[in-house]
Amino acid sequence: MKFIVEILNSIRSLNVRQLLSQAITIGLIMSTALMIWKGLICVSGSESPAVVVLSESMEPGFQRGDMLFLRMTEEPIRTGEIVVYNVDGRSIPIVHRVIKVHEHRDTGEVDVLTKGDNNLADDRSLYAHRQLWLHRHHIVGRAVGFLPYVGWVTLIMSEMPVIKYLVIGALGLFVMAKD
Amino acid sequence: MHTFWYRANAVLTFAVTILAVICGMASLSDNFNFPSPHAHVQVLNINWFQKQPNGNDEVSLTLNISADLQSMFTWNTKQVFVFLAAEYESPQNSLNQVSLWDGIIPSKEHAKFSIHTTNKYRFVDQGNNLRGKAFNLTLHWHVMPKTGKMFADKIVMTGYRLPEDYR
């Protein structure tokens, strides 16, 4: 493992000035990532502008590991749109299609019913106990764009933490060893 | 500077960039497709029409839906999701949209169809406003791409009316 020895040697030969400049590099990388994410939140208006599909309920349109881009605007919610919603008491957001909308004349509030394209029944069984409709505050965003397979990176990392630590470790070494 | 790892990194970055550009171009190319869909829907029969115990009106319809959505398909189209919704106003609600039927069209060969069906989802009102109600039937479609931006549009068909009495 000549490569690893070389890296270790280069770490050992670091002086303080180099170490500080590398700390700044790492900080820059991390803050850039954070800025991109927060920037996306501002542009999309949604608190989670990109989500990864976790289940098979929207097959064959969306498969496990596909990535969706969300937007949340003031526009009213209409049937056919694919929305991401949270149910009270459930931590994982759900990506399903709107099949029914009732918009109240006096308050402007909407009653929304959703269903997964690949599911036989509508989502009432997924909602909170005795909940018949979703309302606007449940909805995080509507899907506007689609990128296949990209989400597998996060799926693999969340399901196999070992790989996550390996990748982070390798990246860390790479940055440290940079001349 | 010219170690194996630097080169591997450069090649990987370049490959991902090219892939992203190609995906972006594939999605942009959809903008040059101007679809010209046709649709025709007939309400063949009111199977039954009644007030549920909880006071909401419910109706069961038999529909004939024929449509030609072949022009939706481009090389970047994975599938087209198509659905028919009844849309009407009622005293409490400025808009009611009730999906009656939907289907997934996997390829261009299946995009010209004519089907005979009862409503797949229940046509239930919020309240009892359906007697004599005029409503629109709207055929919506949602084009799901292989990659990139999703498109949606619709054809509104007007002039449908439910009967004055329960049956």
Side-chain angles (χ1 to χ4, degrees), chain B residues 138-167:
Chain B
T138 307
L139 192 79
H140 296 257
W141 55 87
H142 217 97
V143 180
M144 293 161 101
K146 291 201 168 102
T147 175
K149 191 174 179 295
M150 298 188 269
F151 292 86
D153 208 349
K154 61 188 177 183
I155 297 179
V156 181
M157 289 159 280
T158 57
Y160 300 90
R161 188 176 287 277
L162 289 167
E164 297 287 344
D165 299 302
Y166 296 126
R167 58 173 84 168

Side-chain angles (χ1 to χ4, degrees), chain B residues 38-50:
Chain B
H38 306 283
H40 182 67
V41 178
Q42 265 182 301
V43 178
L44 298 176
N45 189 31
I46 310 287
N47 303 323
W48 44 265
F49 183 18
Q50 61 196 33

